[in-house]
């Protein structure tokens, strides 16, 4: 298996633009997680899905952020409009069970100018 | 609520031992440990579950004190490859909350 796949790996955009991050989890994994990592706040859980259904989105910062999982092999995290404080590395991870090992993707480094 | 890790940073010589601690103010169901090297994604090390079950790599040792909501990761005879940032993540029992990670412990192993 190729592992968790994220795209793009790097994204530079201007304030106010829409940004869409993509994730393909490991086949057969029922759980998908979106994390944001910054120096100040560390590694934060934004939202996670179980069988394509959002379970806990309490970490989503505000209405500018939205996440979808239309099927078991694809998820998106959208920021609209983007702001400089959204600059971070965004990781997607998947696992077979909530209490199992999570496999992280390589991350998307987002820079909002 | 975010678990607290200590120490924040450790510098060791190759071959020395280290202990990294993680504590929470909430009752925990499980503690998860990950290591992240600079510019890379976190990599799983171990899960410790309430009741004593552990899942992880054989070379990693850790403990989980359920009463104190504390966990410790033991790195013995450290190797250069152990360098990185270690994160503990906690799950509280009974709810659907996902992992809450601590701010990490930076470990530097010198030859």
């Amino acid at each position: 298996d190729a592992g968790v796949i994220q795209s793009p790996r790097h994204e530079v955009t201007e304030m106010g633009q829409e940004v869409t991050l993509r994730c393909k989890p490991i086949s057969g994994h029922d759980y998908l997680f979106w994390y944001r990592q910054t120096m100040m706040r560390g590694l934060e859980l934004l939202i996670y899905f179980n069988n394509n259904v959002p379970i806990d989105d309490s970490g989503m910062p505000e209405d500018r952020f939205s996440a979808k999982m239309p099927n078991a092999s694809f998820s998106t995290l959208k920021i609209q409009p983007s702001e400089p404080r959204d600059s971070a590395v965004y990781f997607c991870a998947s696992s077979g069970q909530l209490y199992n090992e999570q496999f992280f993707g390589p991350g998307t480094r987002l820079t909002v100018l | 609520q975010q678990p607290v890790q200590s120490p924040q940073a450790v510098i060791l010589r190759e071959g020395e031992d280290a202990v990294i601690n993680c504590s929470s103010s909430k009752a925990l169901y499980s503690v998860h440990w990950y290591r992240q090297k600079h510019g890379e994604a976190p990599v799983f090390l171990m899960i410790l579950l309430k009741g004593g079950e552990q899942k992880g790599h054989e070379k990693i040792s850790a403990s989980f004190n359920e009463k104190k909501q504390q966990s410790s990761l033991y790195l013995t005879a450290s190797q250069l490859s152990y360098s990185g940032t270690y994160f503990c993540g906690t799950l509280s029992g009974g709810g659907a909350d996902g992992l809450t990670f601590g701010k990490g412990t930076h470990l530097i192993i010198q030859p």
Side-chain angles (χ1 to χ4, degrees):
Chain A
D1 200 326
V4 176
I5 299 172
Q6 290 187 247
S7 64
R9 294 292 308 277
H10 301 272
E11 177 80 32
V12 180
T13 190
E14 292 189 348
M15 182 174 63
Q17 297 297 306
E18 177 179 297
V19 175
T20 300
L21 311 182
R22 297 173 177 80
C23 175
K24 176 179 168 57
I26 292 173
S27 177
H29 281 185
D30 293 333
Y31 288 83
L32 183 140
F33 308 84
W34 281 101
Y35 292 93
R36 178 174 67 177
Q37 187 172 37
T38 62
M39 290 293 294
M40 291 297 296
R41 300 175 69 89
L43 191 60
E44 302 173 278
L45 176 66
L46 299 176
I47 185 171
Y48 82 88
F49 295 83
N50 179 23
N51 291 324
N52 313 338
V53 177
I55 302 300
D56 178 12
D57 65 354
S58 59
M60 295 287 263
E62 48 200 270
D63 292 344
R64 297 185 297 107
F65 285 68
S66 63
K68 293 182 180 179
M69 192 165 185
N71 57 63
S73 59
F74 184 65
S75 177
T76 60
L77 178 67
K78 186 176 294 186
I79 307 172
Q80 166 63 17
S82 58
E83 297 182 3
R85 60 191 168 119
D86 301 332
S87 297
V89 179
Y90 291 82
F91 288 104
C92 173
S94 71
S95 71
Q97 295 289 334
L98 185 59
Y99 300 115
N100 275 10
E101 170 183 2
Q102 292 185 22
F103 294 83
F104 282 75
T108 295
R109 182 172 294 277
L110 174 64
T111 303
V112 183
L113 303 175
Chain B
Q1 196 162 0
Q2 195 173 37
V4 176
Q5 290 187 232
S6 63
Q8 288 185 318
V10 184
I11 300 176
L12 297 176
R13 293 264 182 217
E14 200 173 2
E16 292 181 336
D17 301 338
V19 180
I20 301 172
N21 302 301
C22 175
S23 65
S24 174
S25 59
K26 298 171 68 173
L28 300 177
Y29 180 82
S30 64
V31 179
H32 304 226
W33 288 96
Y34 286 78
R35 178 173 60 213
Q36 185 179 29
K37 293 186 179 289
H38 183 69
E40 299 180 5
V43 173
F44 169 78
L45 295 176
M46 174 168 281
I47 295 173
L48 302 104
L49 298 163
K50 187 177 179 179
E53 183 180 356
Q54 295 187 1
K55 309 178 189 179
H57 301 291
E58 294 178 4
K59 293 186 177 180
I60 299 292
S61 172
S63 64
F64 179 23
N65 186 323
E66 298 169 28
K67 290 183 179 179
K68 294 185 177 180
Q69 292 100 40
Q70 294 176 347
S71 177
S72 295
L73 186 70
Y74 305 98
L75 302 170
T76 57
S78 58
Q79 305 172 16
L80 294 175
S81 62
Y82 289 7
S83 291
T85 302
Y86 289 76
F87 293 97
C88 72
T90 56
L91 276 173
S92 300
D97 296 350
L99 276 178
T100 302
F101 281 98
K103 291 198 171 181
T105 295
H106 303 283
L107 178 64
I108 298 173
I109 309 295
Q110 297 177 336

